[in-house]
Amino acid sequence: MAEQRTMTINMGPQHPSTHGVLRLVLELDGEIVIRCTPHIGYLHTGMEKIAESKRYQQVIPVTDRMDYLAPLSNNLAYVLAVEKLLGIEVPPRAQVIRVMLTELTRIGSHLVWLGTHAIDIGAMSMFLYTFREREAILDMYEQVSGARMMSSYFRIGGLFADLPEGFERTVQSFITSFPNRLAEYEDLLTNNPIWIERTRGVGVIKPNEAVDLGLSGPSLRACGVAWDIRKSNPYSGYEQFHFEMSRGSHGDVYDRYLCRLFEMRQSVAIVRQALENLPDGPVVVADPKLIPPPKPRVKQSMEALIHHFLLWSQGFTVPTGEVYQSVESPRGEYGVYLVSDGSNQPYRVHFRAPSFVNLQSLPRMVEGRLVADLVAIIGSIDIVLGEVDR
């Protein structure tokens, strides 16, 4: 009988380093990964089918829950897709506020990634520091929407409400102090010999392989590929902001770390420009078919009351057609494919989730590496399983 040289084990679906309900079937030769097969489906929520049974406005909270680290990015892609079908453009103030909040979302998401990625590799202090700054961003969510995580602040046609008094001072205070916090992170990790040993040359993927696999976001740019939806297909007025695109050269775990740190600095620059150029004016379109009448009018006018009731009980109809709208989420290209049959509900909704696509690069990155490297590589592609098992 031939000697069995390899061993097959399960890693996950509840292993801390698999970042949720991901199961990896590993074929090992000692500590070397011979084959890695990701298995998904433990979290399946059927969100796309749920969205097809809701009115257009009711789908917004569904998009929140796919990626709980970047709810506003998901909201934005969806409302932009519906607005494209409707043929409307939201007021300039709403556009700038959307950009400001989605960049704060990018910082908040990267902070969670950095803290959890570092703790996977053994750097405990970083986890405490990054969650300290993330709390400040969750406080801002609470100020504008009343919710700390599932904010659902964006609406089809604009925003839920204008910014509360004092919000701009809160944001200014954060972007003033945050660059020093970033410098602290770099002092701890960037030149740390243990961090370098665990990340440099680990999980390498070549640019052509990354493109073939459909990678996007920092996972793609770390390979040296210049692709950012904010630059290639600007939306919400991004073409008016000045910022640089992050790029690496080696496509390893270390470059993916550097790219996200760079992106946080660029997000601070974008938020600063948004604050300096925040226009006055309305935050929703002046279309009574989409936007309910103001509450004071509802209390005084029977017509306004009926209008309010019909809009919230029946929604609005959207012209027949199909669109695709993508945004640059913290994890890469987040896209919404939307089909309308002319009713008040989407006929078909499909989400192009970057975590789902980026996950397929994992076997290519880990095969031939140590099991310990696998932990570092999973963290470096920054998956959110809610987005994968949608």
Side-chain angles (χ1 to χ4, degrees):
M1 186 174 176
E3 182 184 359
Q4 181 70 37
R5 292 185 55 82
T6 64
M7 177 174 62
T8 299
I9 67 166
N10 283 310
M11 187 171 175
Q14 280 86 31
H15 191 284
S17 71
T18 55
H19 290 240
V21 281
L22 171 66
R23 180 168 74 103
L24 301 173
V25 177
L26 303 177
E27 184 182 351
L28 304 177
D29 182 1
E31 288 288 317
I32 304 294
V33 178
I34 303 299
R35 186 170 292 106
C36 169
T37 308
H39 286 256
I40 61 174
Y42 295 93
L43 190 66
H44 188 61
T45 51
M47 286 181 175
E48 289 178 349
K49 300 314 289 182
I50 290 172
E52 291 163 16
S53 66
K54 302 288 183 187
R55 295 190 297 276
Y56 281 95
Q57 286 283 25
Q58 291 176 320
V59 178
I60 296 172
V62 176
T63 64
D64 271 347
R65 285 148 180 80
M66 265 181 281
D67 183 351
Y68 40 84
L69 298 182
L72 288 171
S73 299
N74 292 13
N75 293 166
L76 182 59
Y78 173 72
V79 299
L80 285 174
V82 180
E83 287 164 2
K84 190 184 280 189
L85 271 174
L86 288 166
I88 60 171
E89 186 170 328
V90 302
R93 181 174 174 83
Q95 290 200 21
V96 174
I97 292 173
R98 284 178 174 184
V99 167
M100 181 168 64
L101 284 166
T102 48
E103 291 305 320
L104 288 169
T105 297
R106 188 181 316 281
I107 295 172
S109 177
H110 283 357
L111 286 173
V112 175
W113 158 78
L114 180 57
T116 54
H117 183 42
I119 205 170
D120 281 346
I121 300 179
M124 177 71 190
S125 302
M126 185 61 69
F127 181 81
L128 303 175
Y129 295 157
T130 56
F131 272 63
R132 176 187 59 193
E133 273 70 75
R134 184 193 178 229
E135 276 299 303
I137 293 175
L138 294 184
D139 288 344
M140 293 180 211
Y141 281 7
E142 190 173 11
Q143 281 188 46
V144 296
S145 70
R148 291 177 63 77
M149 290 188 70
M150 307 307 171
S151 51
S152 297
Y153 178 57
F154 300 159
R155 291 288 188 278
I156 297 164
L159 305 173
F160 160 64
D162 205 344
L163 297 176
E165 189 177 350
F167 183 78
E168 294 166 50
R169 286 196 301 275
T170 305
V171 176
Q172 184 64 54
S173 171
F174 176 78
I175 62 172
T176 301
S177 63
F178 186 64
N180 292 332
R181 305 295 192 186
L182 268 175
E184 289 176 2
Y185 306 157
E186 289 226 89
D187 285 346
L188 279 171
L189 293 182
T190 302
N191 296 312
N192 183 313
I194 299 173
W195 182 259
I196 292 173
E197 188 71 24
R198 292 295 309 273
T199 58
R200 190 171 281 173
V202 174
V204 175
I205 190 158
K206 296 176 182 174
N208 60 330
E209 291 177 323
V211 172
D212 290 346
L213 289 167
L215 263 63
S216 57
S219 296
L220 177 65
R221 290 190 285 275
C223 306
V225 179
W227 179 255
D228 187 318
I229 304 295
R230 295 173 295 175
K231 293 279 190 185
S232 62
N233 303 88
Y235 52 91
S236 287
Y238 262 107
E239 66 277 7
Q240 299 170 18
F241 292 86
H242 302 287
F243 65 98
E244 295 178 38
M245 193 188 311
S246 64
R247 284 178 73 179
S249 53
H250 301 97
D252 56 10
V253 173
Y254 190 72
D255 273 11
R256 291 191 274 279
Y257 156 77
L258 291 179
C259 276
R260 291 192 179 95
L261 284 188
F262 185 83
E263 286 188 6
M264 285 194 270
R265 288 198 178 85
Q266 294 303 306
S267 292
V268 169
I270 295 171
V271 172
R272 182 173 291 114
Q273 292 171 56
L275 276 180
E276 291 170 354
N277 301 297
L278 186 60
D280 294 327
V283 294
V284 290
V285 293
D287 187 342
K289 292 180 181 175
L290 298 175
I291 306 300
K295 275 293 175 63
R297 277 191 57 207
V298 173
K299 293 176 181 176
Q300 296 171 356
S301 162
M302 179 56 73
E303 282 187 4
L305 179 63
I306 294 170
H307 179 196
H308 176 92
F309 173 76
L310 288 176
L311 206 49
W312 285 112
S313 60
Q314 298 179 14
F316 51 80
T317 58
V318 171
T320 305
E322 57 184 304
V323 293
Y324 177 76
Q325 174 67 48
S326 59
V327 300
E328 187 68 30
S329 91
R331 267 156 286 287
E333 181 178 350
Y334 181 86
V336 178
Y337 172 65
L338 191 61
V339 180
S340 168
D341 60 358
S343 70
N344 61 351
Q345 295 178 338
Y347 176 76
R348 180 74 179 102
V349 184
H350 175 66
F351 299 101
R352 193 265 184 207
S355 291
F356 177 78
V357 181
N358 292 350
L359 180 61
Q360 67 180 334
S361 66
L362 187 63
R364 191 76 61 91
M365 293 179 182
V366 304
E367 288 171 3
R369 304 292 312 186
L370 293 167
V371 175
D373 292 337
L374 172 62
V375 174
I377 294 168
I378 293 173
S380 75
I381 56 175
D382 190 22
I383 52 170
V384 168
L385 268 295
E387 208 177 61
V388 173
D389 286 351
R390 68 203 177 280

